[in-house]
Amino acid sequence: MPKTLKRQLGLAAVMAVVMGDMLGSGIFFTPGELAAVAERPWQVYLIWGLCGLIVLCGALTLGELASRLPRAGATYHIIAERFGPLWGFVKVWMEVFVSAPGSVAGIAIVFGEYTKRFLGEATPGSPQAWGIAAIVVFATINLLGVRWGGRTQILLTGIKLAGLLALVLGSLLLVDAVPLGEVSAAGGGLLHFLRFLGLGVAAVLFTYDGWTDVSHVAGEVDLPKRNLPRGLGFGVLGIMLLYLLVNFAFLRVMPLEVMRDEGATVATVLATATFGPTGGRLVTGFIMISIFGALGGLVMTAPRLVYAPTAEYARLTEGRFGNALFRTLSYVSPRTSVPSASILFCSALSILAILFFQTFDRLVSFIVVPLQFTNILTVAAVFRLRKRGGDEAEQYLTPGYPFVPLVFILVMSLLMVNAIVFDPVDTLIGVLLTAAAVPVYLGMRRGRSP
């Protein structure tokens, strides 16, 4: 009898997956990035709260979709079954060539910036060089075997949580609040405010990313009609409250102008203000290791995201156009039993992304439209699903339907338009690279390899 995945993940486990995947290292540096476009403290809370509510709308809708289609890699199946295999392939292509390498490269650059700050600006090497070195280290570890990668992540995740708790609790208990001070008055009218909303939401949504990842284990969730929707909803709400608390800790100790000047290394200033130069340096080291751990997690998981669909397409395209690429990317080392080709492929693409884009902001612009486009497709599938009808008596239904999914779709559509208008070059690079999936798919369907 063929083996199948066991449904053994309960509500607590689903919440842990949702919150664990969302709680990366973006919370350490995104507040400084947001301060670059915010003009008053209330705007900071507005953006973080707004993004949380937007993601919650998507998560509540995904809860219905994933509970109706509780398979491993549910988002792919949702898109492929509701919109056709072409759009399913577009999602896979986007993850392989845009989302995975862009996310790894973005975290790697921020790690490099913190490393330079921690070791001193006189330290040889640019932030980009340190980021590339970190990718090489983690790729090497993961090539040695999955146990090495897993043990490394357990250690670094513990350090990440310790650093975040020390930073937030210390700033709330050990440091007096600073006066708000004078900040520049918001101006420029409606267009100026819309530009702020677009840029702010684009930056902060990167930190909320990961809420769809629980769909990858949907086939292992016990009582999926109950636990998937609840786990998604409670998990997103928990992260939203945590992020608001962290930003309160930042703004309580530092004026907005200081956060704006420090940018991605704003947590270093908070650590020094809370614990003094020596303690601040120690906490900054924790933060640096935390970001290092987040990078390691991405280097470990992104190749698996590449391996799973390419292995499937390698089987489906036997003798056809593109089969050689899929067969190569799905290669598993017989010695270590890891997807070594995907590890090397993802690492190489991430390094190329660092060398080309150079900054975290540009990488966010590169991935935001393709990533949110596939999220829109996922959420929009609920409308086609409802048209099929069926027994709804015991089925979880999205609260506020159809308005909740429509809010998510509308806001994300406006975000994509905003990104194209205000940062067209980097955004269109990601869009065009994603669009390349269409001719590749058509070639797979029609042509055979020479």
Side-chain angles (χ1 to χ4, degrees), residues 380-397:
V382 74
F383 298 108
R384 292 201 169 194
L385 186 68
R386 290 287 186 94
K387 287 181 179 180
R388 294 175 55 182
D391 183 15
E392 309 288 352
E394 298 182 0
Q395 176 63 48
Y396 162 81
L397 301 176

Side-chain angles (χ1 to χ4, degrees), residues 92 95-96 99-100 213 216 300-310 342:
V92 170
E95 289 176 337
V96 170
S99 177
D213 291 353
H216 300 322
M300 181 179 182
T301 58
R304 273 73 182 176
L305 191 64
V306 172
Y307 163 76
T310 53
S342 292

Side-chain angles (χ1 to χ4, degrees), residues 15-29 48 107 153 156-158 160-165 168 205-211 213 235-236 238-244 246 290-291 293-295 297-298:
M15 288 180 60
V17 171
V18 173
M19 298 182 71
D21 284 4
M22 292 177 70
L23 184 59
S25 294
I27 190 58
F28 291 122
F29 54 82
W48 284 94
I107 298 297
Q153 286 312 301
L156 293 176
T157 298
K160 175 172 66 175
L161 293 175
L164 180 61
L165 289 175
V168 174
L205 276 177
F206 181 86
T207 307
Y208 275 103
D209 190 31
W211 58 276
D213 291 353
V236 171
I239 287 294
M240 181 175 69
L241 294 175
L242 177 60
Y243 284 172
L244 288 170
V246 172
S290 168
I291 298 172
L295 176 62
L298 284 173

Side-chain angles (χ1 to χ4, degrees), residues 413-434:
S413 299
L414 292 174
L415 170 63
M416 293 193 301
V417 172
N418 186 281
I420 293 172
V421 170
F422 291 107
D423 194 355
V425 176
D426 294 328
T427 301
L428 288 176
I429 292 174
V431 170
L432 292 174
L433 189 55
T434 301

Side-chain angles (χ1 to χ4, degrees), residues 1-155:
M1 180 179 294
K3 294 183 178 179
T4 59
L5 297 174
K6 293 183 178 180
R7 295 193 176 276
Q8 50 191 341
L9 299 179
L11 176 60
V14 174
M15 288 180 60
V17 171
V18 173
M19 298 182 71
D21 284 4
M22 292 177 70
L23 184 59
S25 294
I27 190 58
F28 291 122
F29 54 82
T30 304
E33 300 292 331
L34 178 59
V37 294
E39 294 172 319
R40 293 189 180 276
W42 67 264
Q43 294 178 336
V44 173
Y45 298 117
L46 170 66
I47 292 296
W48 284 94
L50 178 63
C51 286
L53 292 175
I54 293 169
V55 169
L56 182 61
C57 288
L60 292 175
T61 308
L62 178 61
E64 175 177 346
L65 292 163
S67 65
R68 289 175 180 266
L69 205 67
R71 305 182 197 170
T75 52
Y76 164 76
H77 295 292
I78 289 168
I79 291 176
E81 292 195 14
R82 299 296 171 259
F83 297 100
L86 168 61
W87 294 109
F89 182 79
V90 169
K91 175 178 172 55
V92 170
W93 183 273
M94 184 279 299
E95 289 176 337
V96 170
F97 288 97
V98 178
S99 177
S103 298
V104 171
I107 298 297
I109 288 177
V110 174
F111 167 74
E113 291 177 352
Y114 267 92
T115 301
K116 289 284 289 186
R117 177 64 65 93
F118 181 74
L119 299 178
E121 293 300 325
T123 304
S126 64
Q128 291 79 12
W130 280 99
I132 290 172
I135 291 174
V136 171
V137 167
F138 275 117
T140 303
I141 291 173
N142 280 279
L143 287 171
L144 293 175
V146 70
R147 288 189 177 181
W148 284 95
R151 291 167 181 168
T152 303
Q153 286 312 301
I154 291 172
L155 173 63

